[in-house]
């Protein structure tokens, strides 16, 4: 990468006469070296530069006493598998930044700085020196440049790209330096900077700077031969200072925040794209250089993984983040290409993001990727996957060229084209009326071209003046807001994405205010979001107190607890309205102390909610050091899933779907045949309120489904706005095969019981009443089962067949009958009569799975099902198994419309008398004893 600390232009020339100023070119040229454009084409290959950065632990990780599993040395980084001390993987990148430890936060400035000069902590300035300066240098030379941040949500993408207030990230620093460089060189070249900011969410492009209403479906991405892909109608604002850009970014963030709550969207799923266009007119040479700088804060990388991790009947064509998945595919294809593999097709066209970044990936751009990671053990999988992704990206080769063109060329070309069109038009006129359509089209083209010529001639100053006026207006708003903050209490939005927190302030002036969707009335505070009622609550500011009263049917949570009556708000109370609109209450100025609300971040809200549910996290007690990091990861998952489930329930309710969602922590297979607890997993239990049908969804499936639910919900809202009541029904009454709230019913594993085998080693029969325990420890049923040692033909053994020493079994034949007698008090049937059950089990090495016939509508069904197992020659392994293990008896729940489970007996195992042979593999071993 090119680096220099000062900017020297090689083509210095004195300006002679004012040149004409072209307006910005449409964004995202694919390659300027296409026909019709002159370039100083060097066609040099240039690999994507990749940097990695590790952030400090966050609060949750500290509370969990996380271990740092990442180490760095020079440009290499290694990561340790927390469960396997032997497994450490290393990667090498162009840059590796240690921002995990060795820093202090400066009291005065709030800056994160290395503890000592030259310390190992990589601060924002250091990252900018390496990555930002190079990008800037490139842009000034006329190259396109792209910088993108990739990583898990919360890993530090936005911190690196945008930064948090005093700790400015790459974008604001780049802008500052850009305008400095422009000033330094203003007598040799004239520079214009255009700024735009957009978001890609669910394959829709949202203009974050647009002042008008957003078009439904987002802005269109179009392709033109010479321009490549571009966003039609995107606002590009001329800028002459870094301060103006900073203000525009603030405005964009505000739009992003309101859009996120409005559409009930999650910012971690959207990509933010900032485009700086730099045009330089080198007066003497009459040459224009143009470069686009793309600055991309990508969606959280975990989104891509959850989308592809599991089969789902509704998954086809509904990737949670098509753009992110496609970016991965494009990078893979390009990386393959770079190592000489034959690649037929690079799927740029498959998503909006890859269309817009086409030139950055294998095209005309110098590109840098910064991959950000959490160093904590609980993030191991995600961090490893980030490193692998980055590893692939570094192979991509681009062919950057300097984009320069004679300033007057475009105007000349357009004029020539118009002349041609006019000629054609006059010929058509002579031919008579037959070609009216074509006439119309040509006229349109002519007007379009004239318009373009005019825009090209429009003076830069004029645009700039408009932008500056806009700025003044914004500035006045900001000053006004500051004044309000000093006078009134207010509520402040807290977002899951720290970047969007504290952006919206809703002031509670003296008097009584309705808060809710309610627009129109003057005494209301408008908010929107899932589960917010027309009139949701009343806020009363009287006698220097603020009281909040929830209105009928609305959900209000204060400091983790649901409330139904008036309460007085206290400074720094956490307020949740509806399912997930989270706010922090900031009291009267006199009540505010040090004014630091940063500790009340979204995680704080979540832990508080979890505590109300009886789940305690974050008490840094001594024993938490011993907690298995994987178990903690499950708990964090649970806590993070809670608001999503609340939202799904709210949508189900509003769409009249009649299903309820509930989170459960499930032991995988409950416990193993030795009775040990296995790994835990989060699942979502879905219950139909009418039919009592039940489904159990994995977390990945739930996340995927919720995304589809949101789409349907959004459509529903749009239809409601359209006031077409018949149409309004259409989303609610989706055909079942397309309805994400619904699935075909399947048998459900309700619980398991352990039938211990030890007595069989002594050939003593067993008759037990067993507890069948559900995944959360609930008692599902009592199950009576027997194990009866028997003869070849199944008759019970006599008492004197009992063994004193089990090793006498070795090498001899053993026959056992397993009898599933009866279930008592089946909870599954008690809950809803139209249900059935089956018991399933298998023994030792046999993969034959046996199920009892289904029994329906009976709380205490007599099953009396017998299965005969035999080992022809007992091996040591079988004996050991008998002495230490249990048969897992699985209780399966059947529901109306579902097909019952069928036994699968391997042909090699079944014998003619219906005996299942076990202990086959070891026949040879025992024979040799
Ligand atoms: P992302 O954009 O990847 O979701 P953020 O950039 O918002 O994540 O970072 C999450 C949190 O971690 C923020 O509170 C941020 O201040 C903090 N953070 C991230 N990177 C660093 C860093 N290098 N140094 C200090 N704090 C950081
Ligand atoms: Mg972010």
């Amino acid at each position: 990468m090119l680096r220099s600390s000062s900017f020297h232009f090689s083509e210095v020339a004195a300006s002679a006469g004012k040149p004409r100023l072209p307006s910005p070119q449409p964004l995202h040229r694919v390659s300027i070296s296409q026909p019709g454009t002159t370039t100083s084409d060097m066609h040099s290959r240039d690999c994507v530069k990749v940097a990695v950065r590790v952030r400090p632990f966050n609060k949750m990780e500290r509370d969990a006493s996380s271990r740092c599993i990442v180490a760095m040395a020079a440009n290499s980084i290694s990561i340790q598998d927390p469960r396997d001390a032997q497994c450490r993987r290393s990667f090498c990148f162009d840059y590796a930044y240690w921002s995990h430890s060795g820093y202090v936060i400066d009291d005065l400035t709030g800056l994160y700085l290395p503890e000592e000069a030259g310390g190992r902590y990589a601060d924002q300035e250091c990252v900018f020196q390496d990555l930002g300066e190079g990008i800037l240098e490139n842009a000034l030379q006329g190259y396109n440049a792209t910088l993108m941040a990739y990583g898990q949500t919360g890993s530090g993408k936005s911190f690196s790209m945008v930064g948090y207030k005093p700790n400015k990230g790459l974008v604001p620093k780049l802008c500052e330096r850009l305008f400095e460089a422009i000033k330094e060189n203003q007598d040799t070249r004239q520079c214009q900077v255009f700024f735009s900011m957009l978001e890609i969410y669910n394959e829709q492009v949202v203009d974050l700077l647009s002042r008008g209403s957003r078009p439904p479906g987002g802005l269109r991405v179009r392709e033109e031969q010479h321009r490549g892909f571009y966003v039609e109608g995107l606002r590009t604002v001329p800028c002459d200072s870094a301060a103006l850009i900073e203000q525009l970014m603030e405005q964009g963030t505000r739009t992003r925040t309101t859009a996120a709550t409005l559409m009930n969207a999650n910012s971690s799923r959207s990509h933010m794209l900032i485009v700086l266009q730099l045009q330089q007119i080198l007066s003497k040479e009459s040459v224009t250089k143009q470069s686009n700088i793309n600055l991309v804060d990508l969606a959280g990388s975990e989104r891509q993984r959850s989308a592809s991790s599991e089969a789902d009947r509704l998954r086809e064509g509904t990737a949670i983040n098509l753009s992110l998945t496609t970016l991965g595919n494009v990078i893979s294809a390009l990386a393959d290409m770079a190592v000489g593999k034959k690649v037929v097709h690079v799927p740029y066209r498959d998503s909006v993001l890859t269309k817009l970044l086409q030139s950055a990936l294998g095209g005309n751009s110098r590109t840098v990727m910064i991959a950000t990671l959490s160093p904590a053990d609980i993030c191991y999988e995600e961090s490893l996957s980030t490193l692998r992704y980055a590893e692939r990206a570094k192979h991509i080769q681009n062919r950057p060229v300097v984009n320069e063109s004679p300033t007057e060329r475009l105007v000349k070309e357009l004029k020539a084209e118009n002349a041609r069109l006019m000629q054609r038009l006059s010929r058509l006129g002579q031919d008579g009326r037959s070609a009216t359509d074509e006439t119309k089209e040509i006229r349109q083209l002519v007007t379009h071209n004239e318009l373009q010529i005019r825009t090209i001639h429009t003076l830069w100053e004029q645009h700039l003046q408009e932008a500056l006026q806009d700025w003044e207006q914004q500035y006045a708003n900001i000053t006004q807001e500051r004044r309000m903050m000093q006078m009134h209490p207010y509520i402040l939005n807290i977002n899951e994405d720290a970047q969007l927190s504290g952006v919206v302030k809703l002031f509670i002036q003296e008097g009584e205010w309705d808060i809710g969707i309610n627009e129109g009335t003057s005494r209301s505070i408008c908010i929107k979001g899932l589960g917010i009622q027309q009139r949701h609550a009343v806020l009363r500011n009287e006698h220097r107190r603020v009281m909040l009263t929830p209105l009928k049917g609305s959900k209000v949570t204060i400091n983790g607890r649901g409330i139904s009556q008036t309460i007085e708000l206290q400074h720094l109370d956490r307020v949740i309205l509806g399912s997930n609109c989270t706010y922090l209450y900031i009291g009267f100025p006199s009540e505010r102390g040090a004014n630091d609300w940063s500790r009340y971040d979204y995680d704080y809200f979540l832990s508080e909610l979890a505590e109300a549910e009886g789940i305690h996290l974050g008490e840094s007690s001594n024993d938490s050091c011993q907690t298995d990091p994987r178990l903690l990861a499950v708990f964090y998952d649970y806590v993070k899933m809670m608001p999503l489930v609340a939202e799904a329930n709210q949508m189900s309710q509003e769409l009249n779907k009649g299903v309820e969602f509930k989170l459960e922590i499930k032991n995988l297979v409950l416990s193993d045949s030795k009775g040990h607890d296995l790994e835990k997993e989060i699942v979502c239990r879905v219950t139909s309120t009418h039919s009592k049908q039940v489904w159990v969804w994995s977390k990945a499936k739930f996340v995927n489904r919720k995304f589809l639910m949101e789409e349907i919900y959004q459509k529903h809202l749009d239809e409601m706005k359209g006031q077409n009541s018949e149409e309004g029904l259409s989303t609610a009454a989706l055909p079942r095969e397309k309805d994400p709230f619904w699935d075909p019913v399947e048998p459900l594993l309700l619980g398991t019981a352990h039938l211990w085998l030890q007595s069989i080693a002594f050939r003593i029969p067993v008759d037990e009443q067993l507890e069948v325990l559900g995944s959360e420890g609930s008692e599902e049923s009592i199950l009576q089962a027997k194990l009866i040692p028997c003869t070849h033909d199944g008759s019970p053994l006599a008492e004197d067949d009992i063994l004193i020493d089990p090793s006498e079994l070795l090498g001899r034949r053993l026959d056992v009958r397993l009898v599933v007698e009866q279930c008592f008090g089946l909870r599954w049937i008690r809950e809803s009569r139209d249900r059935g059950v089956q018991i399933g089990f298998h023994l030792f090495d046999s993969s034959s799975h046996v199920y009892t016939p289904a029994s329906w509508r009976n709380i205490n069904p007599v099953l009396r099902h017998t299965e005969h197992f035999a080992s022809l020659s007992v091996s040591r392994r079988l004996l050991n198994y008998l002495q230490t293990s249990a048969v897992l008896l699985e209780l399966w729940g059947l529901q109306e419309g579902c097909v019952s489970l069928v036994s699968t007996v391997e042909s090699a195992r079944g014998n003619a008398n219906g005996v299942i042979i076990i202990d086959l593999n070891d026949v040879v071993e025992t024979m040799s004893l």
Side-chain angles (χ1 to χ4, degrees), residues 53-58 98-100 103 112 121-124 149-161 163-164 167 268 297-298 300 372-373 496-499 601:
R53 188 177 195 186
V54 206
R55 65 155 166 74
F57 283 141
N58 63 25
W98 183 262
S99 303
H100 174 62
Y103 63 90
Y112 281 71
Y121 177 79
D123 63 6
Q124 297 283 61
Y150 180 90
Q152 180 183 6
T153 297
S155 61
K157 294 182 296 295
S158 304
F159 186 90
S160 295
M161 292 300 290
Y164 284 83
N167 294 285
S268 69
D297 190 345
L298 291 167
T372 54
L373 329 167
E496 183 174 6
D497 187 340
Q499 195 88 55
D601 58 1

Side-chain angles (χ1 to χ4, degrees), residues 13 23 29 31-32 34 60 90 119 225 290 302 395 475 540 550 570 605 609 645 696 713 801 840 844 854-855 894:
S23 89
R29 298 178 156 232
S31 161
I32 255 169
Q34 279 172 344
M60 276 212 183
S90 296
Q225 207 196 349
Q290 165 159 329
E302 71 282 2
H395 296 295
Y475 193 74
R540 204 174 307 115
Q570 307 292 335
F605 279 65
L609 282 174
V645 170
V696 174
Y713 181 73
D801 287 316
F844 193 47
S855 153
L894 305 171

Side-chain angles (χ1 to χ4, degrees), residues 151-154 157-158 199-204 206 208 214 253 255-272 297-304 306 320-321 324 493-501 529-530 580 582 602-603 606 637 639-645 647 651 699 702-704 706-708 710-711 713-714:
Q152 180 183 6
T153 297
K157 294 182 296 295
S158 304
E199 183 178 52
I200 301 171
Y201 176 77
N202 193 13
E203 294 307 285
Q204 298 188 0
V206 177
L208 292 176
R214 73 181 51 225
T253 307
T255 310
R256 226 185 150 189
T257 310
T258 35
T261 35
L262 234 176
M263 294 172 55
N264 172 45
N266 188 316
S267 61
S268 69
R269 238 190 255 147
S270 69
H271 310 276
M272 187 190 66
D297 190 345
L298 291 167
S301 56
E302 71 282 2
R303 301 288 165 186
Q304 186 197 5
S306 55
I320 285 185
N321 202 315
L324 199 61
N493 84 296
I494 300 295
N495 198 292
E496 183 174 6
D497 187 340
Q499 195 88 55
L500 306 186
S501 280
L530 197 55
N580 201 16
T582 34
Y602 192 74
D603 283 350
L606 288 186
D637 255 6
V639 171
K640 298 242 175 213
M641 290 279 285
M642 281 170 33
L644 305 190
V645 170
E647 287 172 9
M651 288 191 277
K699 182 185 142 196
F702 173 78
V703 169
N704 197 26
K706 170 149 186 291
F707 178 71
L708 296 171
E710 276 166 28
E711 267 183 21
Y713 181 73
Q714 197 57 45

Side-chain angles (χ1 to χ4, degrees), residues 233-294:
L234 184 70
R235 186 161 175 235
T236 50
V237 183
C239 290
D240 66 346
S241 71
L244 175 52
I245 289 189
E246 211 163 296
Q247 182 254 305
L248 287 167
M249 280 172 67
E250 247 183 77
Q251 193 182 324
T253 307
R254 194 178 286 252
T255 310
R256 226 185 150 189
T257 310
T258 35
T261 35
L262 234 176
M263 294 172 55
N264 172 45
N266 188 316
S267 61
S268 69
R269 238 190 255 147
S270 69
H271 310 276
M272 187 190 66
L273 197 65
I274 285 175
V275 187
L276 286 171
Q277 285 181 82
L278 172 65
Q279 296 215 350
Q280 307 172 76
I281 299 153
L282 286 84
S283 335
K284 196 179 164 206
E285 297 93 327
S286 268
V287 157
T288 304
K289 286 190 176 188
Q290 165 159 329
S291 43
N292 286 342
I293 312 174
N294 296 317

Side-chain angles (χ1 to χ4, degrees), residues 772-785:
V772 182
L773 293 181
S775 61
E776 292 191 308
S778 54
E779 186 184 296
E780 295 293 328
S781 170
I782 296 291
L783 177 63
Q784 189 191 354

Side-chain angles (χ1 to χ4, degrees), residues 728-911:
L729 281 175
S730 64
T731 44
L734 274 177
R736 289 215 142 175
E737 63 278 10
K738 288 195 179 153
D739 189 342
F741 289 86
W742 185 85
D743 259 345
V745 284
E746 286 174 353
L748 286 182
L749 180 59
L750 302 175
T752 53
H754 284 77
L755 180 56
W756 292 94
L757 293 162
Q758 207 171 18
S759 318
I760 301 305
F762 298 91
R763 293 206 297 226
I764 300 174
V766 182
D767 185 347
E768 300 250 33
Q769 307 258 348
L770 305 162
E771 252 188 333
V772 182
L773 293 181
S775 61
E776 292 191 308
S778 54
E779 186 184 296
E780 295 293 328
S781 170
I782 296 291
L783 177 63
Q784 189 191 354
K786 296 177 186 162
L787 284 166
I788 307 167
C790 60
T791 60
H792 295 9
D793 60 6
S795 16
L797 296 182
E799 280 215 7
D800 42 344
D801 287 316
I802 291 175
L803 298 174
I804 309 294
D805 176 7
S807 63
E808 282 180 53
L809 278 179
L810 287 170
R812 290 165 64 181
R813 174 161 171 154
L814 174 70
D815 287 81
V816 180
R817 284 196 296 135
L818 195 162
V819 187
V820 179
E821 270 297 330
Q822 188 173 5
C823 295
F824 299 96
L826 280 165
R827 192 163 83 120
W828 178 245
I829 310 286
R830 254 190 284 134
E831 276 172 8
S832 170
R833 283 282 168 158
D834 286 333
R835 289 174 170 175
V837 291
Q838 284 181 279
I839 304 289
F841 52 90
H842 85 117
L843 208 67
F844 193 47
D845 63 342
S846 149
S847 63
S848 306
H849 221 101
V850 180
Y851 297 96
T852 63
S855 153
W856 289 86
R857 296 178 197 85
N858 191 342
I859 295 179
N860 308 308
V862 179
L863 300 166
R864 205 156 292 154
H865 179 86
T866 301
E867 211 64 53
H868 185 158
F869 294 92
S871 163
L872 301 180
S873 166
V874 172
S875 68
R876 209 165 268 289
R877 223 158 58 82
L878 175 62
L879 182 59
N880 185 38
Y881 170 77
L882 293 177
Q883 285 172 318
T884 57
S885 308
V887 191
L888 279 186
L889 297 169
E890 306 159 347
L891 175 63
W892 288 87
L894 305 171
Q895 24 193 347
E896 234 188 327
C898 92
V899 185
S900 54
L901 294 156
V902 184
S903 303
T904 52
V905 180
E906 297 160 88
S907 52
R909 304 276 184 169
N911 91 2

